[in-house]
Amino acid sequence: MITERFVPVAEDVTALQQSEDEQGRFFRHVAVQGHMKGRSRPGVSHQGLYAFVADGTSLASANPLDAERTLTLLEEALRRWAEYEERPELARTQAPGGLSSRDLGYPPAGGAVLRVTARDLPRAADAPIQKDQVRYTRYWNFDHVWLLPEDVKDLVPESLAVGAERQVDRRLLERIARFHLRDIVRGEPQVWGPGSVRRFDLVARVTGRDGNLVNLEITGDVLLREHVAFRDSHTPIDWEFDNELDAAIGGEASWNEVKGHLERFDIVVAGQRTGAHRYNVRTRDPGPAPIGFAFELAGDEPWERTPPHVLRAWKRPDEDEVPVATTVTGEPYYGKR
Amino acid sequence: MLDPGLRSGTTLDPETVQTIRQLVRPQPEELGWQAIPWLTSIPEAVERATREHKPVFLWAMNGNPLALT
């Protein structure tokens, strides 16, 4: 129904709900006609499903968490769309002007995009878990890692002889650890703070060749640790946790030495996670408990081209300088180059 | 059977890596939303909705709904 009867679009609402550009104003114009009526303020989440006419007239909106209510919303939207069509005086032929795309950038040319999926791993049979937390054990989430051409090369030993090894550079590992080894399974945690990477060893070793392909074994360990304190997102509770990720790494990759790119990158990071953040729904299930991350090359579908979650802006400190990709904390995503 | 106590220092042999990958990666029944041809910007959707005379259906979440949300 969505594909045939609607034009489907998905966007991060964080900027839309607060920005003062035309797109932000247009979105909020739609939102306040629906379930955000009387509640639209910059700090309030506008999450939800919105059906609307191209001129900004709302047809239906809500923030349902189940298929049945979503279907009800769609049916209501189509009913109102039919009424709208019967009254042509309501229809504008032009979309509102001034709307422009909010692209945060594109994957770096010549580099690589990794998809990282995170999910809880099975717990010990006698491990305690509160009853209201059981439903979350099926949750999973994913993000993207953008690698520059030099990052990709850093994953490959300089010598491609069988047995040759390379310890991956700390600069790249810090980025992967702090921005992408976050407990995202249930929501949006903060990035790991500076100094939280206590140990991160990652070694790529040439194990064989297959024509132009050089096969790599990737092994390592990671230990992240930091103390966090925050106010609960729903109740007036102040939480403190010693957050930790203590995990092993293993997997394989294939490097095409003629084309100079990765043809396969399949590694996992698996270990114990401890702690919580304000927005990752772990305060009642802080562990320690097992978690897994799977990294692989992303494809070209729209959902594989979304920017890394932490990448929120391109900062142009000076018109003569190359724009710098910055994270939600204002740090350069690619580090100091 | 995966050791639920695994942590740094654990050797992940190829069989264990494969088991973890299968446990973590989404199953086909969890990816139904990918069958929908989502656009990724409202301006593009509004332009197409005008051209095709259809309403827009927006999925808006904190974090990108097509990735981390």
Side-chain angles (χ1 to χ4, degrees):
Chain A
M1 179 191 290
I2 293 173
T3 300
E4 293 174 3
R5 306 289 299 276
F6 295 85
V7 175
V9 57
E11 275 235 36
D12 183 340
V13 79
T14 308
L16 292 172
Q17 69 197 25
Q18 59 194 3
S19 78
E20 284 303 323
D21 62 11
E22 283 300 317
Q23 193 177 159
R25 282 194 286 270
F26 176 75
F27 166 72
R28 292 193 296 278
H29 167 68
V30 172
V32 298
Q33 298 171 62
H35 72 284
M36 293 308 296
K37 184 177 182 180
R39 298 197 301 124
S40 179
R41 291 184 296 281
V44 175
S45 175
H46 289 48
Q47 290 187 125
L49 304 176
Y50 298 87
F52 58 93
V53 183
D55 67 7
T57 303
S58 175
L59 297 173
S61 87
N63 188 21
L65 296 175
D66 60 83
E68 197 170 316
R69 288 201 297 157
T70 300
L71 183 59
T72 300
L73 182 148
L74 292 169
E75 289 170 343
E76 180 190 345
L78 289 175
R79 199 162 46 244
R80 292 201 59 201
W81 170 251
E83 293 170 3
Y84 192 89
E85 287 192 299
E86 288 172 4
R87 298 182 60 193
E89 73 276 15
L90 296 178
R92 299 180 193 172
T93 55
Q94 297 293 318
L99 293 181
S100 59
S101 181
R102 191 192 299 281
D103 283 331
L104 289 175
Y106 302 92
V113 179
L114 303 179
R115 180 184 354 204
V116 51
T117 307
R119 193 192 294 256
D120 289 2
L121 292 172
R123 306 175 193 220
D126 58 351
I129 180 168
Q130 299 192 51
K131 197 176 285 185
D132 64 349
Q133 300 296 296
V134 172
R135 70 187 176 102
Y136 293 114
T137 57
R138 296 181 59 196
Y139 275 39
W140 61 278
N141 213 338
F142 71 87
D143 193 14
H144 295 115
V145 183
W146 282 2
L147 298 177
L148 297 167
E150 56 262 43
D151 297 329
V152 177
K153 287 179 181 166
D154 196 34
L155 294 167
V156 183
E158 287 187 29
S159 165
L160 298 180
V162 173
E165 290 187 350
R166 178 168 196 155
Q167 167 69 48
V168 178
D169 186 74
R170 178 82 180 189
R171 174 190 59 85
L172 175 57
L173 296 182
E174 284 262 348
R175 167 151 44 102
I176 292 174
R178 292 188 52 219
F179 299 154
H180 296 290
L181 288 180
R182 300 180 294 146
D183 179 1
I184 61 173
V185 174
R186 302 181 184 182
E188 301 176 278
Q190 295 295 309
V191 302
W192 289 94
S196 59
V197 185
R198 305 303 172 92
R199 186 173 74 247
F200 197 164
D201 296 310
L202 195 69
V203 174
R205 187 172 69 88
V206 178
T207 57
R209 303 178 65 101
D210 184 8
N212 295 329
L213 291 184
V214 178
N215 297 319
L216 305 170
E217 174 193 65
I218 296 178
T219 56
D221 289 297
V222 61
L223 178 62
L224 309 176
R225 186 179 289 152
E226 74 173 337
H227 183 81
V228 297
F230 57 90
R231 171 62 59 96
D232 191 274
S233 60
H234 296 294
T235 59
I237 299 174
D238 291 315
W239 297 100
E240 288 193 41
F241 291 98
D242 289 314
N243 285 358
E244 186 175 283
L245 176 69
D246 182 1
I249 303 167
E252 296 176 326
S254 295
W255 170 254
N256 188 315
E257 65 172 329
V258 173
K259 295 181 178 176
H261 66 209
L262 289 169
E263 295 210 355
R264 189 164 72 95
F265 190 83
D266 292 320
I267 75 164
V268 299
V269 178
Q272 305 298 308
R273 53 95 188 156
T274 305
H277 274 287
R278 176 175 291 149
Y279 296 116
N280 77 343
V281 201
R282 286 292 197 190
T283 53
R284 289 174 54 74
D285 185 22
I291 187 172
F293 300 84
F295 289 76
E296 60 192 315
L297 289 176
D300 293 322
E301 297 290 347
W303 54 85
E304 297 172 293
R305 299 283 109 180
T306 60
H309 178 257
V310 297
L311 186 54
R312 291 294 167 88
W314 289 84
K315 186 177 182 182
R316 189 185 289 272
D318 184 283
E319 284 303 310
D320 295 329
E321 295 183 33
V322 175
V324 176
T326 57
T327 72
V328 64
T329 61
E331 297 178 75
Y333 175 71
Y334 296 114
K336 292 177 181 173
R337 302 167 63 195
Chain B
M1 184 67 180
L2 189 67
D3 173 12
L6 82 176
R7 58 179 65 241
S8 59
T10 305
T11 299
L12 301 181
D13 58 48
E15 189 179 338
T16 304
V17 168
Q18 186 61 17
T19 299
I20 293 168
R21 284 191 75 223
Q22 288 176 348
L23 287 168
V24 171
R25 295 180 77 245
Q27 301 300 306
E29 65 269 22
E30 295 174 313
L31 297 173
W33 55 273
Q34 290 184 350
I36 296 171
W38 297 103
L39 300 178
T40 55
S41 83
I42 289 177
E44 187 183 2
V46 165
E47 189 278 327
R48 186 177 292 186
T50 302
R51 183 160 33 91
E52 298 182 0
H53 197 59
K54 289 180 178 178
V56 175
F57 178 70
L58 168 66
W59 183 16
M61 301 295 285
N62 292 121
N64 196 306
L66 301 184
L68 201 172
T69 188

